[in-house]
Every structure is written in C-alpha cells, then in structure tokens.
C-alpha cells in the first residue's frame, strides 16, 4: 500500500546562484558527502545534479508529511544509487525515524524515487510503499 507521495520542482539556476553565493557552506549544509562527490564528478552539470537531489529531499519531506520540521533535516536524506543504478534514498536521523514511525506494524517501507531535469528545471517524485514483511524476500 502507498503510505506517502511527494513531488518537487527545483530551479537549477537557483541552485547555481546558491553555489555561487555560498559555495561549500551551502553544499555542506544541504548535501551528503556522496551527493557532493557525484556532483563534483560532473563539473559541467553540477548545479543540475545538485538540483535533482535538492528536489528529492523536498519530495521526501512532503511524502512523510513533515516538510523540514519535527527532526527531518536535508542532510538526513541522501540520494544514492541501488546496485541496478536506479536512484533511491539513504535515510538517517529524523528522516529515518519519521519513516519508521509512519510504517505500519508488520510492514517494511520501500522508497521509490525518480529524478529528471531539463534546464532550467529539476524534478523528483517519491512514493513510499509499505509492504508486508512476509512478502519481502
């Protein structure tokens, strides 16, 4: 069953302006080390790479119904790639706690993420699915 749904649209030029104005301070406050490393490997599309990840963080915060309140912080939500290459989220701290709290007993939460960009826009959708533990193998 679907227990959360969120989407976000982020302006890539806004992220570039934050990078230009605040540099590493902005990156370190918002993005995980894994996200920063991936973006740094893409110097010509760094702002777009980070904008998609920013949108994913916003989409997740909407999917769990908190926004960035009640202990859910941007740095606790990290975009990573599954072994298949598909993007997914690595959660820590308050973000993980909120997901755990909203997951029904006897279920496991699966986070589905899709990212796209077409300058000047980056977009992310998050679907949180609760699967019965006995159906997960």
């Amino acid at each position: 069953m679907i227990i959360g749904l969120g989407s976000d649209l982020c302006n890539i030029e806004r992220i570039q302006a934050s990078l230009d104005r605040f540099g590493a301070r902005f990156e370190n406050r918002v993005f995980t080390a894994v996200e920063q490393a991936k973006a740094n490997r893409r110097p010509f599309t760094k702002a777009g790479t980070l904008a998609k990840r920013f949108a994913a963080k916003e989409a997740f915060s909407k999917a769990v119904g908190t926004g960035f309140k009640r202990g859910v912080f941007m740095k606790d939500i990290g975009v990573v790639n599954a072994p298949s290459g598909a993007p997914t989220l690595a959660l820590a701290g308050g973000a993980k706690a909120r997901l755990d709290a909203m997951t029904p007993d006897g279920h496991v939460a699966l986070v589905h993420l899709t990212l796209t960009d077409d300058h000047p826009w980056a977009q992310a959708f998050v679907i949180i699915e609760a699967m019965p533990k006995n159906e997960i193998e």
Side-chain angles (χ1 to χ4, degrees), residues 26-98:
F26 169 67
E27 288 182 71
N28 293 331
R29 184 171 158 247
V30 175
F31 301 101
T32 67
V34 170
E35 292 170 321
Q36 290 179 51
K38 184 163 205 117
N40 288 332
R41 289 191 303 270
R42 299 173 170 177
F44 298 112
T45 59
K46 180 176 181 173
T49 298
L50 293 175
K52 286 186 283 190
R53 281 141 185 83
F54 191 96
K57 294 166 189 286
E58 290 275 1
F60 176 82
S61 77
K62 294 171 184 176
V64 296
T66 61
F68 294 106
K69 297 178 185 172
R70 293 192 272 172
V72 177
F73 300 107
M74 285 199 161
K75 284 276 291 233
D76 290 342
I77 307 163
V79 176
V80 297
N81 292 93
S84 67
T88 189
L89 295 176
L91 303 172
K96 181 169 181 354
R98 175 63 185 141

Side-chain angles (χ1 to χ4, degrees), residues 3-137:
I3 59 172
L5 173 66
S7 69
D8 191 64
L9 186 64
C10 180
N11 188 292
I12 295 169
E13 293 171 3
R14 182 175 143 233
I15 298 299
Q16 184 63 61
S18 293
L19 290 169
D20 293 343
R21 183 170 180 196
F22 302 108
R25 194 171 99 204
F26 169 67
E27 288 182 71
N28 293 331
R29 184 171 158 247
V30 175
F31 301 101
T32 67
V34 170
E35 292 170 321
Q36 290 179 51
K38 184 163 205 117
N40 288 332
R41 289 191 303 270
R42 299 173 170 177
F44 298 112
T45 59
K46 180 176 181 173
T49 298
L50 293 175
K52 286 186 283 190
R53 281 141 185 83
F54 191 96
K57 294 166 189 286
E58 290 275 1
F60 176 82
S61 77
K62 294 171 184 176
V64 296
T66 61
F68 294 106
K69 297 178 185 172
R70 293 192 272 172
V72 177
F73 300 107
M74 285 199 161
K75 284 276 291 233
D76 290 342
I77 307 163
V79 176
V80 297
N81 292 93
S84 67
T88 189
L89 295 176
L91 303 172
K96 181 169 181 354
R98 175 63 185 141
L99 180 63
D100 291 345
M102 67 185 282
T103 303
D105 289 338
H107 289 72
V108 174
L110 302 176
V111 178
H112 305 279
L113 170 65
T114 186
L115 305 169
T116 191
D117 67 298
D118 187 8
H119 194 85
W121 301 106
Q123 187 174 36
F125 288 95
V126 170
I127 297 173
I128 302 172
E129 179 182 17
M131 293 286 295
K133 286 182 181 177
N134 62 357
E135 292 183 22
I136 304 283
E137 297 179 292

